[in-house]
Amino acid sequence: MDAFGGPIWSMAASPSGSQLLVGCEDGSLKLFQINPDKIQFERNFDRQKSRILSLSWHPSGTHIAAGSIDCISVFDVKSGSAIHKMLVDRQYMGVSKRKCIIWGVAFLSDGTVISVDSAGKVQFWDSATGTLVKTHLVANADVQSIAVSDQEDSFVVGTAEGTVFHFQLVSVTSSSSEKQWVRTKPFQHHTHDVRTVAHSPTALISGGTDTHLVIRPLMEKVEVKNYDAALRKITFPHRRLISCSKKRQLLLFQFSHHLDLWRLGSTVATGKHGDTLPLSKDADHLLHLKTKGPENIICSCVSPCGSWIAYSTASRFFLCRLNYEHDNISLHRVSKMPAFLRSAVQILFSEDSTKLFVASNQGSLHIIRLLEGSFKHLHTFQAQSGTVESMCLLAVSPDGNWLAASGTSAGVHVYNVKHLKLHCTVPAYNFPVTALAIAPKTNNLVIAHSDQQIFEYSIPDKQYTEWSRTIQKQGFHYLWLQRDTPITHISFHPKRPMHILLHDAYMFCIIDKSLPLPNDKTLLYNPLPPTNESDVIRRRTAHAFKISKRYKPLLFMDLLDERTLVAVERPLDDIIAQLPPPIKKKKFGT
Amino acid sequence: MAALEEEFTLSAVPLGAGPDGLLGVEQCDKTDQFLITDSGRTVILYKVSDQKPLGSWSVKQGQVITCPAVCNFQTGEYIVVHDSKVLRLWTNEDVNLDKVFKATLSAEVYRILSIPGTEPLVLFKEGAVRGLEALLAEPQQKIETVISDEEVIRWTKFFMVFRHPALIFITEKHGNYFAYVQKFNSSVVSKYTLLLGQEEKSVIQSFTASLCRKFISLMSLSSDGCIYETLIPIHPSDPEKNQHQRVVRSVLLKTVVSGNARNALSVLDQDHVAVLGPPLPASKECLSIWNTKFQTLQISKELPQGTSGQLWYYGEHLFMLHGKILTVIPYKCEMSSLAGALGKLKHGQDPGTQTMPHFVNWQTSQGLGSQNSEPSKRILRRRKIEASVQPEVPASQQLLSNIKKDSEKHIEIELRKFLAIKRTPDFHTVIGDIVIGLLGRCKTEPSFYPRSSLMQLIQMHVLSYSLCPGLMEVALEKTDVQMLQLCLQQFPDIPEAVTCACLKMFLSIGDDSLQETDVNMESVSDYSDAVQEEKMEEQTGILQNGFNPEEDNCDNCDKELSEKPQNTIEETTSCPVIPKRAALLNAVLHSAYSETFLLPHLKDIPAQHITLFLQYLYFLYLKCSENATMTLPGIHPPTLNQIMDWICLLLDANFTVVVMIPEAKSLLLSLYKFVKSQICICSELNKIEVSFRELQKLNQEKNNRELYSIEVLELF
């Protein structure tokens, strides 16, 4: 639905969650009522001169603060009129800037409004009188984001210089009850703009243009440096961005606005461990598929046979047929997609490429039969009653009989594709699923969770397998549990049923279920022992987790055929080189 | 997993429980103590772990307690209401309830609600709410009617929502149930319709509620045996519009008890509820723990003698009336998780580390002061009644008052006592206050100088310059070099002016007076064995590899230098200052500073002292260069960078002075020559480093992967 105010710059839900306020380009503020089935326009607020860039509700929901250009307005929600308009100084270190943009506001329950602006100021205002209480100049560039803790005794701001500042409400002297906001800690973990910050009870979280998500735990009083107190940096999305056609050896790369299809090269040479082989045929860039319009690609998939590509943006679903004639390829878009296929969260093809599984953002799962150049809708599994959560991960068994789907919290549902009914549900676990796969032949479902736990669930028996029970009883190695990045892909070797291949951003691992599990005293990362050692030693040091850190940061890894693995690295330097330059800081005489 | 432990009973004597059971079980301000109010005339204070009563109070014959006794967590008093309108307040020392503070109110009280951290609230039968403090100030004030006629309050609970008190109470009228939420800071009452009697034939038997982010999760046990959950927003979106808003009731657990008996419900944590009642119509009553997440019965315990249909849960104890006897069942539960259900939750601990779940608590450093300083009107009122109660004075306050009058010796003893007790979170500010107190007396009383006390306080490692600004000035005044050395070592934030003043004193103080002081010599090692190395150092001029010093036109300085070589050698071989002075100067070298602020103060040092200090620095520099790691021997010696920085600073600040003084000239020349030879070595080292880097690069190129490559990898 349209708010009829031009681009929407800001949005805020009321503390009770029943109302939504949007700030528009033309300076209008519009209040919407959120009903379970739809969003309904309720009222316009007094229109302001320029665009509304930031909004914040008073915790009681009676007032709101809106940051615009050069001024902050405080509105009464009931009447919709502005009670105070607080003008922000354009002056910046004596130099008058063109405009002062209020990037963020926060309304505290005692009536204080905190604003952050493009002149590098953090300002405290009294909303009752509309006066400036205090100014902190924290940066020479824009302060772009603010987040307040639930307790309202500390908040965090992020600047365009990549710095994050922590402010705390502390007593002025040891014995007085008078409290003051004090800038306590600066953190510099980003190289570029910090676009957003969040404040959890135990950590400060910041995300910026440099593609990093930084989690900085507030655990100063921990005496022993342990894992929980460590700083985390997360770079890659926890989703699969690459899909692979095993038959034709194709890789489909998903970017925000285009898809790239590559055919892998080959070699005729052989070599020993560690050799780089000469290429007899180089990798080919087959296809560059650009989307129209401004929407990002949400998900994409290439079929195992290589002749279908499906992808989806926020509002449209696309299905394309690829024809290969010698070296030429031609692409036909399948037109007339049914109305229910508007937007997908996850797409998957069956192993024989005859079926397409689409997880819609409404929580339902569609099964489509693919014919030569056309398709037929087979069935739709409706969302479980009472949930609106969409399924964000899908896995299909190689024999095509089972389909596993997982949302963010409500467990993994396994469907019988032949009889088109729900087969069973793996009980919900406290942490979300990050990867799913069904093993060939045994139809064991392997589930990786974000807390690094791995479960193996037998679909035919509807219970956890013996191996899964064993590893849960013994527990994972502590180093395994302390990894930062989640498992993003799981695959299996067709000839070795005891092996599970999985990878995260910094390692790939083959779990050999026939070997003993490592305990905390054994070395988890156990590089290949030298061949000259006796078999006894090799056997004694061997355990189920075979880890290789050869390729990192690893974006994708899959088994192409019995003897070939394909791995995609994404060097961070390449990403940073493409980023817009950060704010230049003058250093000494340069 | 949830587990019910062995039960135990509290009273051997059956309580005077009427047919309706007890009036209430309430928490006390001390852990493990609970106030039990029976439905007759008696309030008993129990210590649960000892299973024995600590005190018992009764109202007069003819009076009836109508509201369970609660504890005021702010003052530690107990409050009870008898005959619906009479409020009684008393403490542990009181014996007779007739003689304690009494207030008669104008309306009937439904309940007094008290939780830690805020003042108790009084909920009247007509739905009005008052703070206890305000009510006691004016007991006869008019109480408004909030709920309608024939509407009766059935249940109530009091929460703290982000430090703001919030109250919920449930009313019933002809089988219709309504929930009222009152936030105390906004004093807005929101009304919600819970259940309309004509829609369903069930009667709600028991309520329990917990706080769940921005909602109150209200659970109710209906006569159909099901548990329903209702989410009630704490912050209503529009208080006036949402009057009589209907809230959704969803089934949480189906048929957990048979409906017809008196059943009770209590929420234990976010996933567990305790239910009291017979599971089947014919069976005996049971206490069962249900997991609401997995919808499973965790544990059940039969209670053959029947209960009163009442259940209380505090901390880790479940209270109920079993037969006529009050029974306590300890209850423990771990967080439910699938991994837990499967056998293993997690490794208990990482090897080699201890779990330290201490998050920064923003309150700790502030809360203490404010709690003590808050003068309670209630305390004042009580003192009128019984004047013997002495408020506890914190040890630090006591010590501060002692400082103002006691002798040095006495203060020292007191201080030692104080330091021996446990550290509080605001320990460092308290220490700061004590030092300031001591210094304040130093200033008024010139003879007073509690040196050992101050030394002891500095050595607590918590002080900084800004916590006790006057300390170093006083030490400078008294020429107490030992104290100054200690301050320089301990304080991270000494202003440059003070550092410089210390330096001036250390350079000017006479050797004789230094000998008497007891200075920490840790940073100074024996420099006397320098004769051997001295020769080697001279050779550096000759042993230059691939570099000719003559190219640098410094013939004259060489010549000049050779004119009085004896002199320079003498200067460099032995330390120019006595070890004690060296130790003091090292303390200055170690202290932090900012060049811009230090330079102006350095200009004030007399020329001969500058020369002496330069000589000492040059000597240290030579010592440093003697070994490969460029460090000095000893524990915590000055580093090469510190020495170099100080040489540069001294030369910068006093360039003209040093150039003019004849005795400094030779020193400057030898320094210059030595630095030059060092630069030669560095340039040679640079060359070596570059060659090594090239080698490294060549080595790396082999491993460099192309954009696309095929590699052979042997996998296990």
Side-chain angles (χ1 to χ4, degrees):
Chain A
M1 69 183 288
D2 198 341
F4 298 107
I8 294 173
W9 285 95
S10 52
M11 232 190 230
S14 67
S16 64
S18 64
Q19 283 164 312
L20 179 76
L21 197 67
V22 298
C24 301
E25 167 75 28
D26 65 352
S28 59
L29 275 155
K30 289 155 198 282
L31 187 68
F32 291 87
Q33 188 77 38
I34 306 172
N35 297 321
D37 47 340
K38 61 170 181 180
I39 294 171
Q40 193 181 351
F41 177 74
E42 197 173 315
R43 196 182 50 239
N44 260 322
F45 281 20
D46 286 1
R47 195 166 145 182
Q48 301 299 302
K49 260 193 224 129
S50 47
R51 63 179 70 142
I52 306 295
L53 285 146
S54 47
L55 285 172
S56 177
W57 287 77
H58 188 267
S60 72
T62 52
H63 291 81
I64 58 137
S68 177
I69 291 167
D70 285 332
C71 79
I72 303 160
S73 314
V74 178
F75 291 89
D76 184 59
V77 175
K78 216 185 290 167
S79 68
S81 57
I83 5 177
H84 284 295
K85 204 166 196 184
M86 301 174 292
L87 289 182
V88 180
D89 195 3
R90 287 185 184 186
Q91 290 268 323
Y92 159 68
M93 311 238 317
V95 188
S96 185
K97 267 199 162 183
R98 217 155 49 86
K99 271 170 187 170
C100 184
I101 303 160
I102 313 299
W103 286 118
V105 284
F107 214 141
L108 305 188
S109 51
D110 64 354
T112 307
V113 174
I114 310 171
S115 71
V116 295
D117 60 37
S118 62
K121 300 191 291 279
V122 176
Q123 293 184 309
F124 297 83
W125 308 82
D126 186 345
S127 69
T129 55
T131 48
L132 179 64
V133 179
K134 197 166 183 190
T135 300
H136 283 273
L137 189 68
V138 296
N140 290 329
D142 300 30
V143 185
Q144 291 183 320
S145 45
I146 177 167
V148 185
S149 72
D150 280 347
Q151 301 281 312
E152 294 190 353
D153 55 3
S154 111
F155 71 89
V156 57
V157 298
T159 73
E161 292 167 333
T163 328
V164 170
F165 290 100
H166 190 199
F167 284 76
Q168 280 169 271
L169 189 65
V170 292
S171 304
V172 183
T173 57
S174 62
S175 52
S176 79
S177 62
E178 188 193 342
K179 288 186 181 178
Q180 211 174 21
W181 284 104
V182 178
R183 193 175 95 190
T184 48
K185 281 170 253 139
F187 306 109
Q188 178 93 46
H189 299 303
H190 292 276
T191 54
H192 291 66
D193 302 23
V194 178
R195 282 293 171 86
T196 184
V197 284
H199 197 309
S200 87
T202 56
L204 305 179
I205 305 155
S206 56
T209 320
D210 60 354
T211 72
H212 290 307
L213 184 72
V214 175
I215 304 171
R216 206 272 180 197
L218 294 170
M219 304 227 289
E220 280 81 357
K221 293 197 176 159
V222 176
E223 280 157 34
V224 183
K225 285 236 182 266
N226 67 357
Y227 178 66
D228 292 328
L231 177 95
R232 314 280 176 85
K233 246 185 193 181
I234 296 150
T235 308
F236 289 147
H238 295 168
R239 288 192 298 131
R240 197 164 52 90
L241 298 175
I242 295 165
S243 53
C244 162
S245 156
K246 292 184 180 173
K247 205 174 135 207
R248 283 197 189 263
Q249 309 230 320
L250 304 175
L251 282 185
L252 182 73
F253 296 89
Q254 175 191 328
F255 294 86
S256 55
H257 286 109
H258 67 269
L259 297 170
D260 271 345
L261 189 67
W262 286 76
R263 182 189 290 141
L264 298 173
S266 58
T267 182
V268 288
T270 52
K272 58 181 199 305
H273 176 70
D275 283 356
T276 303
L277 302 178
L279 298 177
S280 60
K281 200 174 122 220
D282 214 342
D284 279 340
H285 188 191
L286 295 182
L287 196 68
H288 180 82
L289 199 61
K290 262 193 153 162
T291 57
K292 292 178 186 112
E295 285 182 342
N296 286 358
I297 298 174
I298 290 173
C299 57
S300 64
C301 194
V302 60
S303 69
C305 70
S307 46
W308 296 94
I309 288 178
Y311 65 99
S312 170
T313 67
S315 65
R316 283 189 76 180
F317 183 86
F318 299 90
L319 182 64
C320 305
R321 171 91 185 162
L322 288 169
N323 285 318
Y324 299 85
E325 285 159 19
H326 306 295
D327 278 347
N328 299 338
I329 56 161
S330 53
L331 181 91
H332 298 284
R333 237 191 81 194
V334 179
S335 51
K336 283 182 271 175
M337 294 310 295
F340 61 84
L341 272 181
R342 268 216 316 279
S343 168
V345 183
Q346 186 69 284
I347 308 169
L348 190 69
F349 288 94
S350 68
E351 202 79 346
D352 55 1
S353 304
T354 56
K355 287 195 184 90
L356 171 67
F357 306 101
V358 180
S360 81
N361 58 1
Q362 304 294 324
S364 51
L365 264 175
H366 307 292
I367 303 181
I368 291 154
R369 184 193 294 278
L370 297 171
L371 308 162
E372 191 70 29
S374 66
F375 62 88
K376 191 180 146 213
H377 177 228
L378 275 185
H379 186 71
T380 296
F381 291 115
Q382 289 306 330
Q384 299 292 304
S385 59
T387 61
V388 285
E389 175 185 72
S390 53
M391 297 293 158
C392 46
L393 282 170
L394 295 176
V396 66
S397 67
D399 59 13
N401 287 342
W402 309 104
L403 173 70
S406 153
T408 46
S409 63
V412 181
H413 303 290
V414 180
Y415 299 95
N416 189 324
V417 180
K418 257 192 194 149
H419 299 110
L420 298 175
K421 61 169 191 174
L422 181 69
H423 176 67
C424 61
T425 298
V426 184
Y429 184 59
N430 301 11
F431 293 89
V433 178
T434 61
L436 273 183
I438 302 175
K441 296 193 184 80
T442 56
N443 281 330
N444 285 341
L445 174 66
V446 178
I447 309 163
H449 290 276
S450 65
D451 66 339
Q452 312 296 2
Q453 296 284 344
I454 293 166
F455 293 102
E456 193 187 38
Y457 185 84
S458 169
I459 296 176
D461 299 344
K462 295 192 186 181
Q463 63 176 9
Y464 288 101
T465 62
E466 203 50 51
W467 181 78
S468 185
R469 282 167 202 277
T470 315
I471 197 157
Q472 286 303 323
K473 237 170 246 156
Q474 198 189 323
F476 283 86
H477 195 274
Y478 72 99
L479 286 176
W480 176 268
L481 296 175
Q482 289 184 357
R483 288 178 304 117
D484 270 343
T485 53
I487 301 287
T488 46
H489 188 71
I490 302 171
S491 53
F492 302 96
H493 195 287
K495 291 280 165 66
R496 292 177 191 162
M498 294 311 276
H499 286 188
I500 305 170
L501 277 81
L502 25 80
H503 80 86
D504 66 12
Y506 297 103
M507 61 107 212
F508 76 91
C509 173
I510 299 175
I511 299 179
D512 189 343
K513 291 188 277 178
S514 60
L515 288 177
L517 296 169
N519 59 21
D520 280 356
K521 287 190 193 75
T522 51
L523 213 60
L524 179 69
Y525 174 57
N526 201 356
L528 198 65
T531 40
N532 54 15
E533 291 221 39
S534 70
D535 261 11
V536 184
I537 293 174
R538 294 187 78 166
R539 211 171 298 141
R540 201 187 301 149
T541 51
H543 59 72
F545 288 75
K546 314 279 193 192
I547 294 171
S548 167
K549 298 187 177 176
R550 188 178 169 86
Y551 305 103
K552 56 188 176 181
L554 193 59
L555 206 54
F556 176 74
M557 178 160 236
D558 201 359
L559 201 69
L560 269 189
D561 57 47
E562 283 167 33
R563 294 169 52 91
T564 320
L565 272 173
V566 57
V568 180
E569 278 181 309
R570 185 84 180 98
L572 285 180
D573 295 342
D574 289 6
I575 300 176
I576 289 162
Q578 289 171 18
L579 293 175
I583 300 269
K584 239 191 182 167
K585 265 193 246 174
K586 209 172 154 76
K587 270 189 183 161
F588 304 112
T590 56
Chain B
M1 294 292 283
L4 291 174
E5 287 173 19
E6 197 56 45
E7 63 183 66
F8 54 88
T9 57
L10 271 191
S11 52
V13 200
L15 288 155
D20 298 329
L22 295 173
L23 264 184
V25 177
E26 292 287 338
Q27 264 179 304
C28 247
D29 56 341
K30 294 183 188 71
T31 51
D32 204 31
Q33 294 188 9
F34 294 90
L35 279 169
I36 320 278
T37 315
D38 71 11
S39 55
R41 302 188 294 124
T42 319
V43 179
I44 303 174
L45 177 68
Y46 273 108
K47 190 168 169 66
V48 165
S49 56
D50 295 356
Q51 300 181 37
K52 65 174 188 193
L54 298 177
S56 167
W57 298 272
S58 296
V59 291
K60 263 199 307 202
Q61 277 283 339
Q63 295 175 338
V64 177
I65 295 178
T66 53
C67 161
V70 296
C71 176
N72 184 347
F73 290 94
Q74 289 185 320
T75 59
E77 291 170 316
Y78 309 124
I79 312 152
V80 78
V81 177
H82 62 83
D83 301 316
S84 295
K85 284 185 177 179
V86 187
L87 219 68
R88 291 280 188 183
L89 286 95
W90 80 99
T91 61
N92 268 330
E93 285 92 60
D94 293 309
V95 180
N96 196 336
L97 269 191
D98 273 343
K99 292 189 178 145
V100 299
F101 179 82
K102 169 184 174 185
T104 308
L105 307 175
S106 62
E108 295 196 341
V109 175
Y110 175 71
R111 195 136 298 181
I112 302 171
L113 301 154
S114 178
I115 50 172
T118 182
E119 72 163 319
L121 295 184
V122 180
L123 175 65
F124 291 91
K125 283 196 177 155
E126 271 83 42
V129 183
R130 290 284 186 280
L132 183 70
E133 219 47 74
L135 198 64
L136 291 177
E138 197 190 336
Q140 282 297 323
Q141 61 183 278
K142 200 170 155 17
I143 304 296
E144 74 277 7
T145 303
V146 174
I147 58 177
S148 60
D149 274 358
E150 295 180 56
E151 209 174 331
V152 185
I153 299 180
R154 288 280 175 227
W155 178 85
T156 178
K157 184 153 177 158
F158 188 27
F159 294 103
M160 284 298 270
V161 184
F162 297 140
R163 287 186 284 168
H164 299 304
L167 178 79
I168 178 169
F169 60 89
I170 311 284
T171 61
E172 192 207 337
K173 183 185 182 183
H174 308 311
N176 302 333
Y177 288 88
F178 305 99
Y180 293 80
V181 177
Q182 175 154 25
K183 274 200 303 163
F184 221 58
N185 56 340
S186 64
S187 51
V188 176
V189 185
S190 316
K191 184 179 177 182
Y192 301 92
T193 306
L194 215 57
L195 179 67
L196 292 173
Q198 54 265 45
E199 285 176 19
E200 281 173 67
K201 286 287 164 278
S202 57
V203 179
I204 301 180
Q205 293 175 322
S206 179
F207 292 99
T208 185
S210 61
L211 214 55
C212 157
R213 292 182 65 84
K214 284 175 173 164
F215 292 95
I216 294 171
S217 156
L218 178 74
M219 290 183 200
S220 50
L221 182 63
S222 267
S223 57
D224 58 358
C226 300
I227 297 175
Y228 296 90
E229 189 185 27
T230 309
L231 288 180
I232 297 173
I234 296 164
H235 304 290
S237 46
D238 192 348
E240 272 146 52
K241 206 175 130 191
N242 289 341
Q243 281 291 357
H244 308 274
Q245 200 185 21
R246 189 74 197 269
V247 282
V248 182
R249 215 163 71 117
S250 55
V251 181
L252 197 66
L253 283 172
K254 267 187 191 157
T255 339
V256 290
V257 286
S258 104
N260 301 320
R262 282 190 302 190
N263 304 320
L265 170 76
S266 180
V267 61
L268 304 172
D269 58 44
Q270 57 175 13
D271 294 330
H272 291 88
V273 291
V275 181
L276 193 66
L280 293 166
S283 63
K284 298 231 169 79
E285 283 187 62
C286 274
L287 173 69
S288 344
I289 309 289
W290 286 81
N291 186 316
T292 54
K293 194 170 185 180
F294 298 125
Q295 307 263 315
T296 49
L297 177 66
Q298 298 280 311
I299 195 163
S300 174
K301 190 180 194 99
E302 202 168 89
L303 302 163
Q305 291 167 39
T307 66
S308 62
Q310 285 169 303
L311 182 66
W312 293 272
Y313 174 66
Y314 294 107
E316 288 179 339
H317 299 292
L318 283 158
F319 295 81
M320 73 211 68
L321 214 53
H322 185 197
K324 285 276 176 196
I325 296 167
L326 183 65
T327 307
V328 182
I329 303 182
Y331 158 80
K332 278 224 177 75
C333 183
E334 288 168 21
M335 282 288 286
S336 60
S337 74
L338 184 63
L342 276 170
K344 177 133 186 163
L345 177 65
K346 241 186 186 182
H347 288 260
Q349 278 185 350
D350 298 338
T353 59
Q354 293 149 348
T355 42
M356 286 273 178
H358 302 300
F359 304 124
V360 182
N361 186 357
W362 317 116
Q363 299 303 317
T364 45
S365 61
Q366 313 157 5
L368 276 164
S370 60
Q371 257 173 29
N372 286 334
S373 60
E374 193 175 287
S376 172
K377 282 177 270 169
R378 292 278 317 107
I379 292 268
L380 295 177
R381 181 169 53 243
R382 247 181 46 223
R383 252 192 240 159
K384 276 179 215 160
I385 303 166
E386 33 166 326
S388 62
V389 180
Q390 187 91 44
E392 216 175 288
V393 179
S396 59
Q397 298 290 330
Q398 187 75 46
L399 187 62
L400 277 176
S401 61
N402 283 346
I403 283 169
K404 290 197 181 110
K405 44 192 191 288
D406 285 358
S407 70
E408 279 179 37
K409 200 84 206 152
H410 191 212
I411 290 174
E412 203 182 324
I413 293 159
E414 284 292 314
L415 185 69
R416 203 162 292 149
K417 266 192 230 158
F418 173 73
L419 295 179
I421 59 174
K422 219 179 126 213
R423 290 187 178 202
T424 51
D426 57 346
F427 183 71
H428 58 285
T429 49
V430 172
I431 295 284
D433 288 342
I434 293 171
V435 174
I436 287 174
L438 286 171
L439 293 175
R441 194 166 159 205
C442 286
K443 271 172 198 152
T444 49
E445 249 178 84
S447 62
F448 179 81
Y449 187 56
R451 188 158 179 277
S452 55
S453 301
L454 287 171
M455 295 285 259
Q456 202 179 347
L457 285 167
I458 297 169
Q459 276 161 341
M460 296 308 293
H461 299 282
V462 291
L463 279 180
S464 61
Y465 183 87
S466 35
L467 263 178
C468 46
L471 178 62
M472 287 186 80
E473 276 80 354
V474 171
L476 279 169
E477 221 170 87
K478 308 261 182 201
T479 359
D480 190 346
V481 286
Q482 194 192 347
M483 172 111 69
L484 287 174
Q485 188 197 22
L486 206 55
C487 291
L488 283 167
Q489 283 166 354
Q490 299 282 350
F491 295 176
D493 55 344
I494 301 172
E496 282 77 2
V498 178
T499 312
C500 210
C502 291
L503 176 64
K504 229 192 262 182
M505 169 175 289
F506 294 162
L507 287 168
S508 60
I509 192 169
D511 278 357
D512 319 340
S513 47
L514 259 185
Q515 289 300 355
E516 290 158 20
T517 57
D518 176 28
V519 171
N520 182 1
M521 301 291 287
E522 212 174 52
S523 64
V524 185
S525 65
D526 196 9
Y527 295 140
S528 59
D529 58 343
V531 191
Q532 202 57 39
E533 275 84 0
E534 189 261 320
K535 268 180 198 156
M536 235 181 73
E537 170 206 317
E538 264 221 316
Q539 281 173 345
T540 52
I542 310 154
L543 278 178
Q544 279 172 358
N545 188 12
F547 184 80
N548 193 358
E550 263 65 49
E551 284 168 22
D552 241 13
N553 10 335
C554 187
D555 300 329
N556 359 351
C557 47
D558 262 355
K559 212 185 278 172
E560 258 185 89
L561 201 75
S562 56
E563 278 171 19
K564 17 182 174 171
Q566 287 321 99
N567 208 352
T568 49
I569 287 163
E570 224 171 51
E571 269 171 19
T572 53
T573 46
S574 64
C575 185
V577 294
I578 60 163
K580 282 200 173 165
R581 197 191 300 279
L584 292 173
L585 291 176
N586 285 353
V588 175
L589 293 187
H590 277 302
S591 65
Y593 63 86
S594 162
E595 285 177 26
T596 347
F597 300 115
L598 190 62
L599 269 179
H601 300 290
L602 281 179
K603 288 186 176 146
D604 303 339
I605 301 178
Q608 73 268 28
H609 290 156
I610 290 282
T611 335
L612 180 66
F613 194 31
L614 261 182
Q615 268 171 357
Y616 175 63
L617 288 169
Y618 177 43
F619 164 77
L620 286 180
Y621 182 28
L622 285 180
K623 285 282 146 211
C624 268
S625 325
E626 273 168 15
N627 57 17
T629 53
M630 305 289 254
T631 49
L632 287 166
I635 314 154
H636 202 52
T639 65
L640 183 65
N641 277 339
Q642 283 167 341
I643 297 165
M644 302 278 248
D645 288 345
W646 271 94
I647 292 178
C648 296
L649 273 172
L650 277 182
L651 290 178
D652 267 358
N654 301 289
F655 189 73
T656 42
V657 180
V658 177
V659 168
M660 298 299 285
I661 310 175
E663 57 260 39
K665 203 171 184 186
S666 61
L667 174 70
L668 280 185
L669 276 173
S670 49
L671 194 58
Y672 171 62
K673 203 192 159 206
F674 186 67
V675 169
K676 214 185 81 182
S677 68
Q678 292 273 303
I679 289 172
C680 294
I681 294 170
C682 286
S683 71
E684 292 306 303
L685 287 174
N686 254 335
K687 283 180 203 162
I688 298 172
E689 199 219 338
V690 171
S691 347
F692 272 124
R693 202 188 294 152
E694 284 303 312
L695 279 174
Q696 189 82 13
K697 225 183 252 172
L698 284 173
N699 214 18
Q700 265 181 354
E701 260 165 27
K702 272 190 197 163
N703 298 332
N704 208 3
R705 282 190 282 267
E706 298 288 315
L707 199 62
Y708 180 75
S709 64
I710 298 179
E711 290 171 27
V712 180
L713 210 60
E714 194 182 317
L715 287 172
F716 324 114

